Amino acid sequence: MPHFEDFYADKLRGSLGVTDAESVLDLRGTNRPTSEASLNDMLERSRFGKGKTVAIRFDPPPEGGGETLFQPVGRLLLDAKRKGIVDRLQTLPAGDGLGFYVALAGKTTRSNE
């Protein structure tokens, strides 16, 4: 869409989901420490490669309510966004389940720290 800035063009296209991502980090069925370790590993490795998009998926709340990985994973991703490791962060569309769509900055687009 040549007449729109990327931000507004993406709004018109709708939410980006699992099928739009270059890869998927599937944390369904994992516990919190394992999920956090996997996410931290992905974020650390992304600092040395090219930028890419990742769909991060995790389990919905158990029947009757309970904790999910939404808040702890969200906090880690927001911190990574503040540090410049993550360029874009949004929730997955409802049809894709619970998770995030993340655009990792990669080595080439980040400034030297």
Side-chain angles (χ1 to χ4, degrees), residues 6-97:
D6 288 340
F7 175 80
Y8 296 108
D10 289 339
K11 290 265 186 204
L12 290 172
R13 288 184 198 113
S15 294
L16 296 169
V18 173
T19 57
D20 302 302
E22 295 173 74
S23 61
V24 176
L25 177 60
D26 194 347
L27 301 176
R28 294 178 292 184
T30 61
N31 60 24
R32 183 175 173 175
T34 302
S35 298
E36 288 177 348
S38 295
L39 184 61
N40 283 325
D41 184 48
M42 179 196 73
L43 292 170
E44 182 63 25
R45 282 185 286 121
S46 76
R47 294 179 42 212
F48 303 103
K50 68 177 184 75
K52 68 177 185 174
T53 57
V54 180
I56 301 171
R57 304 180 81 184
F58 39 89
D59 293 320
E63 192 70 33
E67 287 189 11
T68 67
L69 293 173
F70 187 83
Q71 193 172 39
V73 167
R75 284 185 181 143
L76 286 171
L77 292 171
L78 282 173
D79 186 48
K81 186 166 174 51
R82 281 186 217 107
K83 292 178 181 176
I85 298 169
V86 170
D87 278 339
R88 180 180 185 161
L89 170 63
Q90 67 184 56
T91 56
L92 290 175
D96 285 349

